Structures are given as C-alpha cells and as structure tokens.
Amino acid sequence: MKTIAVLTSGGDAPGMNAAIRAVVRTGCENGARVLGIRRGYAGLMQGDMYEMNLRSVSDIIHRGGTMLYSARSKEFCTEAGMQKAIDVCKDAGIEGIVVIGGDGSFRGARDLSLRGINCVGVPGTIDNDIACCDYTIGYDTCLNTIMDMVDRIRDTTESHDRCFIVEVMGRRAGYLALNAGIAVGATSILIPEMEFSIERDIIERMRRTQKTGKEHFIIVVAEGVNEKLVAQGINGVSALAKYVEHNLGVESRATVLGHVQRGGSPSCKDRVVASQMGSYAAHLLLNGIGNRVVAMQKEAILDYDIFEALNMTKSIDLSLYDTAMEISI
Ligand code: ATP
C-alpha cells in the first residue's frame, strides 16, 4: 500500500480545504494510506500528522481557511530542518507529499524532491502570483470579497460625496487590485507592476471627472505600491487620503481591507479548480511522479517540473489597465 501525505503551507486561501478533500479522497479511493500533516513544514519536522479517511474530509468543501492549519518555518529552510523532515517522512513511510501553497512552499517541495521525497505542488494563494498558472486557488473568492466590501464602501462614499482610498492585498502582484478595481468602477488603480504619478493618475483624473459632475470616488491601491508612494512623498494610504483632500477639497478616507480578504466560504470556481488540482496531484504521486507543480492554463489542468515552474515569469495584462482607465472616468 502506498502512503502519501498532504499539507498546506504559507498564507491560507479559500479553497485549500476543497483541495485537501480531493487529495484525501483520490488517495483513499485508489487504495493508498493518506496522512494529513498539520501546520505545513513546521508540523512535518515535528511529525505532527494523522491518518485520514474518506470521512475525515466531510463537511469542509464550503469552509475557508485550512483544516490542516498553515505555518511558515525558517527552520525548515536549513539543512538540519530539511533532514528532520526527511527522517520523519522515512519513519512514517511517506512516499510523496502534496504541498498546497505558494512559490515559497514550492521551493521547499523542490528541495524535498531533490532529497528523494516526491512532492507535487498545488497553487493555493489569493494573489494569483504563480508564474506557471493562469489561476491560483483562492483568487476568485478573494476578488469577490474585495468587490463586496468595496460595494459597501461605495454606498457610504456616495452618500457623503467622499473619496475612499481602498488598500487591497498584493505585495508583488496587482491582479487583485486591477481586477477588483475594474469590478468596482475605481477612478484610479495603483499596482506594483506599473509606474505611476500621484498627480497625473489620481489628482488630474479626479479633477477631470469632477468637471463632468462626479462627486464621489473610489481609488484602489495594491499594498505593494507603498514604496512607490513613499518615493513621491506619501507614506501609506491614510497620507494619500489627506493629500487628495488637501488638493481637491474632497473629504477623503482610507480603508485597509486587511485579512478579511483571506477568509470566507470559497466561490464555486475555487471549489471546482481546487478539487480538480487536488485530485490531479494525488494521481501524480500515486503513479510515482514527483517534483511537479499542478497548474491551470487556459482552463486545462496540467503539470510542470518544479524547477521550470519556479523559473517562469508571467506579466499582468496591461490592456486591462488601459480599459479600466478609459471607462472609469
Ligand atoms: P504565500 O504566497 O501565501 O506567501 P508561500 O508558499 O509563498 O505562500 P512562504 O512563506 O514564502 O509562503 O513559504 C512557505 C514556507 O515554505 C516557508 O515558511 C518555508 O518553510 C518554506 N520555504 C520558503 N522558501 C523556501 C526555500 N527557498 N527553500 C526551502 N523552503 C522554503
């Protein structure tokens, strides 16, 4: 009987539970023993795991977060930590691990694969910032959460003729800010991938729209642009709100959406994609194939060598930005 394991690592994302469920059920239905490792690589090093069965994953497909908990571990990145993890795998008879997480987690999966423990990565991260994938688990739910939150903010923005600067997640990638910005009709959108000028891209745009009679404004800002804001003398979204108010006379407020973006029941798309990816990953391990990352490209599920996947780059579709700027005026 084969033994495979599953863990979640890095930031949690809605849909991780659906992926765990798919791994466990695919494993069990194909005659494997499936172990659930708690708290990512930290739990792996401590041997914190238990045997799962078909019923262990009942009633989780609709829940956000991860039933296996997640963690980040510096110790795992050291040679001693890695050796601890390998010893635990050998003792428990683990032949392969499905690692659900982001780029950092895949680096750990690559290192384990290099040392003889087959690993398959499943992209679970709200940021959609994994180069080999068009889509990552959690992204759709997060986008919809942001849209819902900003729609609520819009109600009060409109009632008071205000400007709201809304900071959303995305340290290195602007997928969330750009797509949510379009969906909520933001007047300006700032993302890490683009150079911007506060004067040209916010103040001037607002001034133009004011002339056409617009009196309330939503500006969506990815958290990763702060360095570029600082370079223009503005430290953070609260300072940006004050600057807008001072320059345009529009009462302005800043809201940082924060961790509310990570939670909540996964969307239909996240549940379906996570189920497909989890099952695909388990089949790879059951066939003795490791060192792969499962990806979605043009709606198809496929897999890449982890080294290749980690060396790939992807760029955001800036034509989407142009469209947003043309119509949110
Ligand atoms: P998110 O996109 O949510 O940040 P992530 O998987 O990229 O998810 P990280 O914190 O970067 O999150 O990585 C998760 C864990 O993977 C780390 O805590 C560490 O244990 C392991 N890891 C990260 N980078 C490496 C590396 N270069 N080598 C080995 N292990 C790594």
Side-chain angles (χ1 to χ4, degrees), residues 9-11 41 71-73 76-77 82 101-105 107-108 110-111 125 171 262:
S9 169
Y41 295 127
R72 302 186 201 267
S73 165
F76 177 73
C77 299
M82 185 70 55
D103 269 349
S105 304
R107 288 196 176 86
R110 172 202 60 195
D111 292 354
T125 172
R171 268 172 293 153
R262 281 201 184 277

Coordinates of all heavy atoms in Angstrom, one line a residue, residues 9-11 41 71-73 76-77 82 101-105 107-108 110-111 125 171 262, ligand 1:
S9 N 0.7 25.2 3.3 CA 1.8 26.0 3.8 C 1.7 27.4 3.3 O 1.1 27.7 2.2 CB 3.1 25.3 3.2 OG 4.2 26.1 3.3
G10 N 2.4 28.4 4.0 CA 2.3 29.8 3.6 C 1.0 30.4 4.0 O 0.3 29.9 4.9
G11 N 0.6 31.4 3.3 CA -0.7 32.1 3.6 C -1.9 31.2 3.2 O -1.8 30.5 2.2
Y41 N 5.3 22.8 6.8 CA 6.6 22.2 7.0 C 7.0 22.2 8.5 O 7.8 21.3 9.0 CB 7.7 22.9 6.2 CG 7.5 22.8 4.7 CD1 7.4 24.0 3.9 CD2 7.4 21.6 4.1 CE1 7.3 23.9 2.6 CE2 7.2 21.5 2.7 CZ 7.1 22.6 2.0 OH 7.0 22.5 0.6
A71 N 1.4 27.3 8.2 CA 2.5 27.9 9.0 C 3.6 28.3 8.1 O 3.7 27.9 6.9 CB 3.0 26.9 10.1
R72 N 4.5 29.1 8.6 CA 5.8 29.4 7.9 C 6.9 28.9 8.8 O 6.8 29.1 10.0 CB 5.9 30.9 7.6 CG 4.7 31.4 6.7 CD 5.0 32.9 6.3 NE 3.7 33.5 6.0 CZ 3.2 33.6 4.8 NH1 3.9 33.1 3.7 NH2 2.1 34.2 4.5
S73 N 8.0 28.4 8.2 CA 9.0 27.8 9.1 C 10.4 28.2 8.5 O 10.7 27.7 7.4 CB 8.9 26.3 9.2 OG 10.1 25.8 9.7
F76 N 12.8 25.0 8.6 CA 12.7 24.0 7.5 C 13.7 24.4 6.4 O 14.1 23.5 5.6 CB 11.3 24.0 7.0 CG 11.1 23.1 5.8 CD1 11.2 21.7 6.0 CD2 10.9 23.6 4.5 CE1 11.0 20.9 4.8 CE2 10.8 22.8 3.4 CZ 10.8 21.4 3.6
C77 N 14.0 25.7 6.2 CA 14.9 26.1 5.2 C 16.4 25.8 5.5 O 17.2 25.9 4.6 CB 14.8 27.6 4.9 SG 13.1 28.1 4.5
M82 N 15.6 20.5 7.1 CA 15.2 19.6 6.0 C 15.5 18.1 6.3 O 14.7 17.3 6.0 CB 16.1 20.1 4.8 CG 15.8 19.4 3.5 SD 14.3 19.9 2.7 CE 14.4 21.7 2.7
G101 N 0.2 25.5 -1.5 CA 0.7 26.8 -1.1 C 1.2 27.6 -2.2 O 0.8 27.4 -3.4
G102 N 2.1 28.5 -1.9 CA 2.6 29.4 -3.0 C 4.1 29.1 -3.4 O 4.6 28.0 -3.1
D103 N 4.7 30.1 -4.0 CA 6.1 29.9 -4.5 C 7.1 29.4 -3.5 O 7.9 28.5 -3.7 CB 6.6 31.3 -5.0 CG 6.3 31.5 -6.4 OD1 5.9 30.5 -7.1 OD2 6.5 32.6 -6.9
G104 N 7.0 30.0 -2.3 CA 7.9 29.6 -1.2 C 7.7 28.2 -0.8 O 8.7 27.4 -0.7
S105 N 6.5 27.8 -0.7 CA 6.2 26.4 -0.4 C 6.7 25.4 -1.5 O 7.2 24.3 -1.2 CB 4.7 26.2 -0.2 OG 4.2 27.1 0.7
R107 N 9.3 25.9 -3.3 CA 10.8 25.8 -3.1 C 11.1 24.7 -2.1 O 12.0 23.9 -2.3 CB 11.4 27.2 -2.7 CG 11.4 28.2 -3.8 CD 12.3 29.4 -3.6 NE 12.2 30.2 -4.8 CZ 11.3 31.1 -5.0 NH1 10.4 31.4 -4.1 NH2 11.2 31.7 -6.2
G108 N 10.3 24.7 -1.1 CA 10.5 23.6 -0.1 C 10.2 22.3 -0.7 O 10.9 21.3 -0.5
R110 N 10.5 21.4 -3.8 CA 11.6 21.1 -4.7 C 12.8 20.5 -4.0 O 13.4 19.5 -4.3 CB 12.1 22.4 -5.5 CG 13.3 22.3 -6.3 CD 14.0 23.6 -6.5 NE 14.3 24.3 -5.2 CZ 14.6 25.5 -5.0 NH1 14.6 26.4 -6.0 NH2 15.0 26.0 -3.8
D111 N 13.1 21.2 -2.8 CA 14.2 20.7 -2.0 C 14.0 19.3 -1.5 O 14.9 18.4 -1.4 CB 14.5 21.7 -0.9 CG 15.0 23.0 -1.4 OD1 15.3 23.1 -2.6 OD2 15.2 23.9 -0.6
T125 N -3.0 30.3 -3.3 CA -2.7 31.6 -2.9 C -3.6 32.7 -3.5 O -3.9 32.6 -4.7 CB -1.2 32.0 -3.2 OG1 -0.9 33.4 -2.9 CG2 -0.8 31.7 -4.6
R171 N 1.4 42.1 -2.5 CA 2.7 42.7 -2.2 C 3.5 42.8 -3.5 O 4.1 43.8 -3.7 CB 3.4 41.9 -1.2 CG 3.2 42.3 0.2 CD 3.9 41.3 1.2 NE 3.2 40.0 1.1 CZ 3.7 38.9 1.4 NH1 4.9 38.8 1.8 NH2 3.0 37.8 1.3
R262 N -8.8 37.3 3.1 CA -8.3 35.9 3.1 C -9.4 34.9 3.4 O -9.3 33.7 3.1 CB -7.2 35.6 4.1 CG -5.9 36.1 3.7 CD -4.8 35.4 4.5 NE -3.5 35.9 4.1 CZ -2.9 35.6 3.0 NH1 -3.3 34.6 2.2 NH2 -1.7 36.1 2.7
Ligands
ATP1 P1 2.1 32.9 0.0 O1 2.0 33.1 -1.4 O2 0.8 32.9 0.7 O3 3.2 33.8 0.7 P2 4.2 30.9 0.1 O4 4.1 29.4 0.0 O5 4.9 31.6 -1.0 O6 2.7 31.4 0.2 P3 6.3 31.4 2.0 O7 6.2 32.0 3.4 O8 7.1 32.1 1.1 O9 4.7 31.3 1.5 O10 6.8 29.9 2.1 C1 6.2 28.9 3.0 C2 7.2 28.1 3.6 O11 7.9 27.4 2.6 C3 8.3 28.8 4.4 O12 7.9 29.2 5.7 C4 9.4 27.8 4.4 O13 9.3 26.9 5.4 C5 9.3 27.1 3.0 N1 10.2 27.8 2.1 C6 10.1 29.0 1.5 N2 11.2 29.3 0.8 C7 12.0 28.2 0.8 C8 13.2 27.8 0.2 N3 13.9 28.7 -0.6 N4 13.7 26.6 0.5 C9 13.1 25.7 1.3 N5 11.9 26.0 1.8 C10 11.3 27.2 1.6

